Amino acid sequence: MGLSNFFNSLFGKAKVTADETIEKASEFATEAKESLEDLAASASKKIDELHLSEKTEEFIKNAKEKLDEASEWAEEKSQQAKEAFEEIIEKVEEKIEELKNDKKETNPSQSATEEKSTEEENKPTA
């Protein structure tokens, strides 16, 4: 009884933490992309206002391209991290179920009591 509750509590917290980390990484990538787009737009506007030479314009154009690439890279890495966390969470949940099933097989009478106890713990409170 205590062991399954321990794992449920432990991995439940890990899942919440992983979800929060994924969300923060996604928010960071979105904010970085928006900031880079704003910076590129601002640089482009300044070029037009200052009538800079072609050489400077080429440099700024290349910088904008690099910023776009960096933005795409950050977004891609954020997505990869999200997918990796989701895979880990799925594997952990599967392992928890395996442990629960193993315990039920070794002690069926106690498992029924644990299930009732777990159901009562998981009931929403008013």
Side-chain angles (χ1 to χ4, degrees), residues 24-43:
K24 287 179 183 178
S26 179
E27 288 174 9
F28 173 76
T30 301
E31 289 174 8
K33 182 179 180 182
E34 290 172 0
S35 295
L36 293 172
E37 288 171 351
D38 291 344
L39 179 63
S42 176

Side-chain angles (χ1 to χ4, degrees), residues 67-86:
L67 288 173
D68 287 341
E69 290 174 13
S71 174
E72 289 173 13
W73 178 86
E75 192 172 328
E76 179 182 322
K77 293 303 176 187
S78 173
Q79 184 63 31
Q80 289 174 351
K82 180 179 178 181
E83 290 171 2
F85 278 122
E86 288 172 349

Side-chain angles (χ1 to χ4, degrees), residues 71-110:
S71 174
E72 289 173 13
W73 178 86
E75 192 172 328
E76 179 182 322
K77 293 303 176 187
S78 173
Q79 184 63 31
Q80 289 174 351
K82 180 179 178 181
E83 290 171 2
F85 278 122
E86 288 172 349
E87 287 177 21
I88 291 168
I89 290 168
E90 185 177 315
K91 288 179 182 177
V92 167
E93 289 173 342
E94 288 173 3
K95 193 63 174 176
I96 289 172
E97 286 302 315
E98 286 178 23
L99 290 171
K100 285 182 182 179
N101 291 337
D102 287 348
K103 188 169 183 178
K104 286 179 187 177
E105 291 173 7
T106 58
N107 196 352
S109 63
Q110 188 177 4

Side-chain angles (χ1 to χ4, degrees), residues 11-55:
F11 292 118
K13 289 176 185 175
K15 181 178 181 180
V16 169
T17 302
D19 288 342
E20 289 172 354
T21 303
I22 290 168
E23 188 172 321
K24 287 179 183 178
S26 179
E27 288 174 9
F28 173 76
T30 301
E31 289 174 8
K33 182 179 180 182
E34 290 172 0
S35 295
L36 293 172
E37 288 171 351
D38 291 344
L39 179 63
S42 176
S44 178
K45 184 177 178 181
K46 285 292 181 187
I47 290 171
D48 292 341
E49 289 176 1
L50 298 174
H51 305 290
L52 296 176
S53 69
E54 287 182 25
K55 190 172 188 178

